């Protein structure tokens, strides 16, 4: 890639084009994965529908739903975040480059969808990329990395910006990109069926250390959001002697707690540790400190109005997630809820609750034009429908888990109460699908 | 299609064009689709897909070569060249004595046929004019199908059919001399706007796909094959149906336009495909519908690109819709042995989408349907993924494990008995050491239980029961949420039996431990004291859970019993197989309860481990009452 000619006039339009493209891909995947999810709910309710779809039965659609959410809706907005942070918007084709990366990513996930439906699976619940589909996402990652690296390189070669903060951020981005380079290779390796994470021998599920590590990764990423999106602070900060703005109290607390949390993660057992082990319980319990800290940190920034509404939702979900995640890990509760719909409820609270809310805020902030910000995510009825649907959905799953814990036969043999709850769950899923479709429609209509 | 009314074509050109189209179709139908494959079979040794692939590659290449070289001023000559190449290809096939030669011959046939179809159709409107193009195309198509269904052609040996095809090609080459272009060569209606053409290609591809899949299923299912193509009367009827349907399609196209015929073809062909079932259990009259549907869409397959008069469009239609659509259809049928309803629905979406795409405001919505099509392209490929490759000591078990993974069984069934959870150990035990599970690549712990845990399923279900249950889950477990996997057992598909072998392998070494566990089990409630309360509940549960095998009155004559190698016991008999005589009521209830909960290993009597103790005891009471009612008084 040759060095681009500067063309500052179209910077805003190019960023808008990128934001639009990201929203379309992201909401497209959300609608797709939600549609599949609703279909799965109906297949559970009326298993005979599987016959009409043979051989594409329930088990083949499950990874489509799960991975469509994970690698589609939960990932694509983060690509937008990388574009916002790394791309050189003076490049006349910057928005096209973003589109290329988005297309490569979506194609890779679409390839994955075809592979799962075709029965190409590794047998792992996560990182289920096998056979011919295994290199797809690493290749998309490489495409993305190359484009980002090219743009950061161009920015580094331009005359240095006026303030040193921008220079530091740019160097930080370059270093982060260097650190991310091995990721496609690691992803490819981790997708091998022989590579399996530590197992909690008491439950057959994840260990406390694994849960803590993955949650800290999310905290780190979400904590960096305002900086990568260049969201200004609400209260002006006093510059230090070097001319840089002094860190605020919330930032200092956030940074300090993050380091402490990673140290806790480093010292607890990383092997096949049981949920009865004290270090696992306490390690996971240390996440409680992030309930107030996360709120304090995010509240320190001047988010656009629409984004703020979603961040409040994210914060509520976050609090519930930390609490429910810890409680369901505890001995006694874990035995009762493992393998039931209770843990499905927890996963849906994370994906449909926390991640969805944060990503709406993120997509809102990607667009530099205040008039456009949050246009796709702003409809109050869709916001309410989504949350109401989610609440009913979670409640029905929780009640189902109580039923199956007491009497698994009710679930296995489609007894009346379980069928009723399944129907409620499907209805709430339909409501959420309607809301997500309205967001997609808005993203396309602009 | 009423733009620019063309002059009436000269009679000799008209006859020549009709003959050329008919000759091309005859060559394709009787030789490329039939005789070539039959002649190649002795040399193929299971590699027929390679031959068909080569034929398709040649067809696609020939199509695009023809588009690139197309010139209206050299039309007759180029068509003649195509026929000569086809004739030479047929001769080459006759002479081929080795597999390599056969592959090369198939390549020649593909190249020749691809060239011929694209060239011929691209200039057809210039010869026949636009006004009655549909009619003439219908007559040609119908005649070709009719000729191919003549008993002496259809039932001839493959070599004779090849010679016939070569002669037809020679005839076509001679007729091509009289192909005079006199009319405007192209139409400019909205159907030929660049964006719309892609939707048309997609719609035609869906139709070819349906046809090819149905054709394959009919050809490879003896009862259907006999009903469709056996006997002079059937063949004669086919010939007539083809001719009538094709001519009707042509007339409709001339008066109403191609969209009407395409929708009609979809309806007829779609219905035929849905009636096919798995071939063995097809509906009556499916062959008639299939014959009509094929003629309808085949006529549209000529008239759409012919009206367009655009060589690159013709190339796209025949390369993508024709050659690739055929390949995908055959692949679909080979893998699924049926045309799924969802696929017919999708074909409907594509065809309707193509029609909607003629209006730009609807086109955007139609793009989504195209995305689905891309996905489908992968299905044909993906379902051929090398999942059958065996690994490990027992190839059947290894394959079965891969099927278990591919079908996503882990999303409903766990394979982990939690060592400190008493209910887990009781229901699904014994515990399997974690270190043992971790040796698997990957361990299949799963994270849901919408059905039983399968860690040790081999010690509590027989292969026979598993097989029947996989095929008809609700028949053996009424109310079960499990999908039916009977398609895994069809037409020699090894996956079903492999899956059964895999399930049988789980827990075989723990049978003794399981038996001991069952022998020690006692229900948490007292058995005889609450008999009055338990009995009505037990009778209800018996009707629901036991009657499918044991019959409503316990005579062993339930609807599911027919599939079992050993008939379930008749509870009226004075002696039972697994309950010793002379036991007290309490002891007999306990033995029955154990059987109901844990099953009888080695027999089709499966356990009901997931039932609570009260239900198990009430069931035992209900079964005992069946026996007691007929017991002679002491």
């Amino acid at each position: 890639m040759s060095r681009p000619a500067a063309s500052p006039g179209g910077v805003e339009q190019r960023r808008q084009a990128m934001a639009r493209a990201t929203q379309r891909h992201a909401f497209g995947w959300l609608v797709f994965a939600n549609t599949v999810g609703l279909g799965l709910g109906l297949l559970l309710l009326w298993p005979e529908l599987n016959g009409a779809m043979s051989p594409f039965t329930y088990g083949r659609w499950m990874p489509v739903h799960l991975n469509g959410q994970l690698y589609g809706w939960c990932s694509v907005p983060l690509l937008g975040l990388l574009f916002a942070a790394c791309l050189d918007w003076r490049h006349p084709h910057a928005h096209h480059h973003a589109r290329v990366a988005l297309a490569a990513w979506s194609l890779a996930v679409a390839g994955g969808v075809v592979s799962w439906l075709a029965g190409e699976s590794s047998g792992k619940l996560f990182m289920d990329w096998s056979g011919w589909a295994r290199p797809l996402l690493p290749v998309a990652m490489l495409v993305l990395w190359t484009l980002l690296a090219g743009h950061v390189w161009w920015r580094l070669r331009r005359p240095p910006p006026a303030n040193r903060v921008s220079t530091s951020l740019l160097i930080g981005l370059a270093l982060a990109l260097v650190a991310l380079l091995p990721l496609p290779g690691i992803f490819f390796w981790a997708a091998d069926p022989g590579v399996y994470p530590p197992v909690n021998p008491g439950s057959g599920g994840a260990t406390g250390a694994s849960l803590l590590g993955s949650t800290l990764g999310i905290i780190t990423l979400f904590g960096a959001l305002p900086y990568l999106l260049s969201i200004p602070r609400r209260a002006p900060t006093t510059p230090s002697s070097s001319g840089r703005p002094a860190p605020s109290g919330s930032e200092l607390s956030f940074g300090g707690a993050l380091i402490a949390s990673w140290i806790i993660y480093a010292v607890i057992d990383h092997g096949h540790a049981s949920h009865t082990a004290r270090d696992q319980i306490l390690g996971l319990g240390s996440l409680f400190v992030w309930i107030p800290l996360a709120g304090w940190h995010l509240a320190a920034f001047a988010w656009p109005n629409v984004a703020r509404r979603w961040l409040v939702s994210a914060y509520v979900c976050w609090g519930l997630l930390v609490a429910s995640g810890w409680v369901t890990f505890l001995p006694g509760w874990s035995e009762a809820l493992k393998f039931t719909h209770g843990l499905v409820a927890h996963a849906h609270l994370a994906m449909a609750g926390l991640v969805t809310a944060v990503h709406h805020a993120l997509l809102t902030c990607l667009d530099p034009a205040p008039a456009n910000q949050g246009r796709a995510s702003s409809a109050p009825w869709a916001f309410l429908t989504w949350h109401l649907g989610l609440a009913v959905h979670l409640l029905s799953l929780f009640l189902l888990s109580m039923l199956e814990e007491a009497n698994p036969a009710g679930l296995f043999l489609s007894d009346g109460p379980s069928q009723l709850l399944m129907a409620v769950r499907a209805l709430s899923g339909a409501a959420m699908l309607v809301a997500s479709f309205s967001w997609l429609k808005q993203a396309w209509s602009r | 299609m009423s733009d620019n009314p063309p002059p009436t074509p000269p009679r000799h050109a008209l006859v020549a064009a009709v003959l050329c189209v008919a000759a091309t179709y005859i060559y394709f139908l009787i030789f490329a689709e039939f005789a070539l494959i039959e002649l190649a079979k002795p040399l193929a040794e299971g590699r027929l897909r390679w031959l068909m692939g080569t034929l398709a590659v040649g067809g696609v290449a020939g199509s695009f070569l023809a588009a690139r070289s197309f010139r209206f001023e050299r039309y007759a000559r180029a068509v003649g060249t195509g026929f000569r190449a086809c004739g030479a290809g047929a001769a080459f096939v006759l002479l081929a004595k080795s597999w390599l030669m056969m592959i090369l011959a198939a390549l020649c046939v593909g190249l020749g046929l691809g060239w011929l179809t694209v060239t011929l159709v691209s200039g057809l409107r210039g010869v026949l004019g636009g006004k009655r193009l549909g009619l003439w195309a219908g007559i040609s198509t119908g005649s070709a199908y009719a000729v191919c269904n003549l008993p002496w052609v259809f039932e001839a040996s493959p070599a004779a059919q090849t010679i016939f095809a070569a002669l037809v090609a020679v005839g076509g080459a001679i007729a091509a001399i009289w192909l005079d272009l006199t009319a405007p060569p192209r139409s400019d209606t909205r159907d030929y706007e660049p964006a719309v053409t892609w939707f048309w290609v997609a719609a035609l591809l869906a139709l070819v796909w349906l046809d090819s899949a149905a054709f394959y299923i009919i050809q490879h299912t003896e009862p259907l094959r006999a009903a469709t193509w056996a006997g002079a009367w059937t063949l004669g009827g086919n010939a007539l149906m083809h001719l009538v349907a094709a001519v009707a399609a042509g007339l409709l196209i001339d008066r109403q336009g191609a969209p009407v015929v395409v929708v009609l073809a979809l309806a007829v062909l779609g219905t035929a495909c849905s009636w096919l079932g798995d071939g063995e259990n097809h509906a009556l009259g499916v062959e008639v519908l299939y014959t009509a549907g094929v003629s309808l869409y085949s006529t549209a397959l000529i008239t759409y690109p012919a009206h367009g008069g655009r060589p690159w469009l013709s190339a796209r239609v025949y390369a993508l819709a024709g050659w690739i659509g055929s390949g995908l259809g055959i692949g679909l049928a080979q893998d699924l042995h049926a045309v799924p309803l969802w696929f017919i629905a999708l074909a409907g979406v594509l065809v309707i989408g193509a029609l909607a795409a003629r209006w730009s405001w609807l086109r955007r919505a139609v793009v989504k349907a195209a995305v689905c099509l891309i996905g489908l392209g992968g299905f044909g490929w993906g379902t051929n993924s090398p999942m059958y490759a065996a690994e490990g000591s027992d190839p059947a078990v290894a394959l079965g494990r891969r099927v278990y993974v591919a079908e996503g069984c882990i999303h409903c069934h766990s394979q982990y008995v939690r060592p400190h959870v008493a209910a887990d150990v009781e229901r699904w035990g014994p515990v399997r050491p974690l270190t043992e599970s971790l040796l698997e690549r990957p361990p299949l712990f799963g994270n849901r239980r919408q059905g039983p845990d399968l860690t040790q399923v081999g010690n509590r279900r027989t292969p026979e029961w598993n097989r029947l249950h996989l095929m008809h889950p609700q028949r053996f477990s009424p109310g079960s949420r499990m999908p039916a996997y009977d398609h895994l057992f069809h037409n020699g598909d090894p996956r079903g039996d492999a899956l059964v072998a895999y399930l049988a392998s789980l827990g075989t070494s723990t049978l003794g431990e399981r038996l001991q566990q069952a022998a020690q089990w006692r229900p948490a409630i007292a058995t005889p004291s609450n008999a009055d309360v338990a009995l009505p509940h037990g009778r209800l549960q018996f009707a629901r859970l036991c009657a499918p095998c044991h019959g409503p009155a316990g005579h062993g004559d339930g609807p599911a019993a027919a599939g079992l190698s050993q008939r379930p016991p008749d509870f009226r008999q004075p002696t039972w197989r697994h309950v010793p005589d002379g036991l007290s009521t309490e002891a007999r209830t306990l033995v029955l309860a154990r059987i109901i909960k844990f099953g009888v290993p080695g027999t089709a009597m499966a356990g009901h481990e997931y039932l609570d103790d009260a239900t198990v005891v009430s069931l035992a009471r209900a079964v005992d009452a069946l026996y007691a009612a007929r017991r002679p008084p002491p």
Side-chain angles (χ1 to χ4, degrees), chain A residues 44 54-56 58-60 118-123 192-193 201 204 335 338-339 341 344 411-415 418-419, chain B residues 336 342 378 382 385 405-408 410-412 416 418 421 438 441-442 448-451 478-481 483 485 487 544:
Chain A
L44 283 176
S54 168
F56 306 106
Y58 181 88
R60 291 203 183 189
E120 190 66 74
S121 172
S122 67
D192 187 289
E335 282 71 18
K338 178 67 183 172
F339 297 124
H341 283 86
V344 182
L411 178 73
F412 292 0
L413 301 178
S414 309
D415 278 358
S418 73
Q419 285 296 84
Chain B
L336 307 184
W342 61 263
S385 56
V405 167
E407 298 302 329
I410 55 166
H411 297 293
C412 288
Y416 196 77
R418 291 171 292 175
V421 181
L438 288 172
R441 287 169 55 91
R448 304 287 299 282
R449 275 185 194 154
Q450 300 187 106
S480 167
R481 298 187 192 279
Y485 289 98
H487 60 277
R544 180 188 183 196

Side-chain angles (χ1 to χ4, degrees), chain A residues 188-240:
Chain A
F188 186 82
W189 166 78
D192 187 289
V195 177
Y196 205 79
V199 178
N200 174 353
S203 70
T207 63
S210 297
L211 294 170
L212 176 63
S214 57
T215 312
L216 287 177
I218 290 169
I219 291 172
T220 309
L221 184 65
F222 286 174
L225 272 184
Y227 306 104
L228 293 170
L229 288 168
S230 307
I231 306 291
R233 292 177 192 170
R234 289 175 75 185
T237 48
T238 347
S240 67

Side-chain angles (χ1 to χ4, degrees), chain B residues 531-578:
Chain B
D532 294 340
V533 180
L535 199 53
H537 178 56
R539 282 185 173 141
L540 275 176
Q541 294 300 321
F542 184 91
R544 180 188 183 196
L545 299 173
C546 312
C549 289
H550 291 281
H555 299 173
D557 56 354
L564 298 170
S565 56
Q566 188 181 17
R567 187 188 158 108
D570 183 344
F571 293 139
R572 294 170 300 181
Q573 296 300 314
T575 303
W576 285 0
R577 292 177 197 160
H578 304 288

Side-chain angles (χ1 to χ4, degrees), chain B residues 102 139 148 169 203 218 222 253 300 330 339 346-347 498 526 566 600 602 608 622 634:
Chain B
M102 189 57 83
I139 290 173
C148 291
I218 294 172
E222 196 45 47
I253 287 171
I330 292 168
V339 183
L346 190 68
Q566 188 181 17
V600 180
H608 299 77

Side-chain angles (χ1 to χ4, degrees), chain A residues 43-45 47-48 50 52-60 62-63 66 113-114 116-126 132 192-194 196-197 199-204 272 334-341 344 404-415 418-419 422 425 437, chain B residues 336 340-342 364 368 374-379 381-383 385-387 402 405-412 414 416 418-421 424 427-428 434 438 440-453 474 477-487 495 544-545 610-612:
Chain A
L43 286 178
L44 283 176
L45 200 54
E48 55 273 21
N50 282 288
M53 301 174 65
S54 168
F56 306 106
T57 47
Y58 181 88
R60 291 203 183 189
M62 260 304 292
L66 194 147
V113 167
V114 171
W116 298 310
L117 284 176
E120 190 66 74
S121 172
S122 67
K124 289 161 70 155
L125 288 167
F126 302 103
W132 57 268
D192 187 289
Y196 205 79
V199 178
N200 174 353
S203 70
H272 302 301
S334 168
E335 282 71 18
L337 290 172
K338 178 67 183 172
F339 297 124
T340 71
H341 283 86
V344 182
E404 58 185 301
E405 161 60 9
N407 176 23
L411 178 73
F412 292 0
L413 301 178
S414 309
D415 278 358
S418 73
Q419 285 296 84
M422 286 278 187
R425 167 196 172 160
F437 188 77
Chain B
L336 307 184
L341 282 179
W342 61 263
R364 285 183 197 165
K368 291 166 194 164
I374 293 167
L376 271 174
F379 293 166
W381 178 38
T383 43
S385 56
M387 60 186 300
R402 299 191 71 179
V405 167
E407 298 302 329
C409 305
I410 55 166
H411 297 293
C412 288
S414 59
Y416 196 77
R418 291 171 292 175
H420 306 298
V421 181
D424 259 27
R427 288 172 190 150
W428 323 120
L434 177 62
L438 288 172
E440 296 182 6
R441 287 169 55 91
L444 301 176
F445 297 137
N447 65 351
R448 304 287 299 282
R449 275 185 194 154
Q450 300 187 106
D453 182 280
Q474 283 74 27
S477 300
S480 167
R481 298 187 192 279
M482 181 154 147
Y485 289 98
D486 50 338
H487 60 277
R495 291 178 296 169
R544 180 188 183 196
L545 299 173
Y610 48 84
L611 293 177
D612 58 53

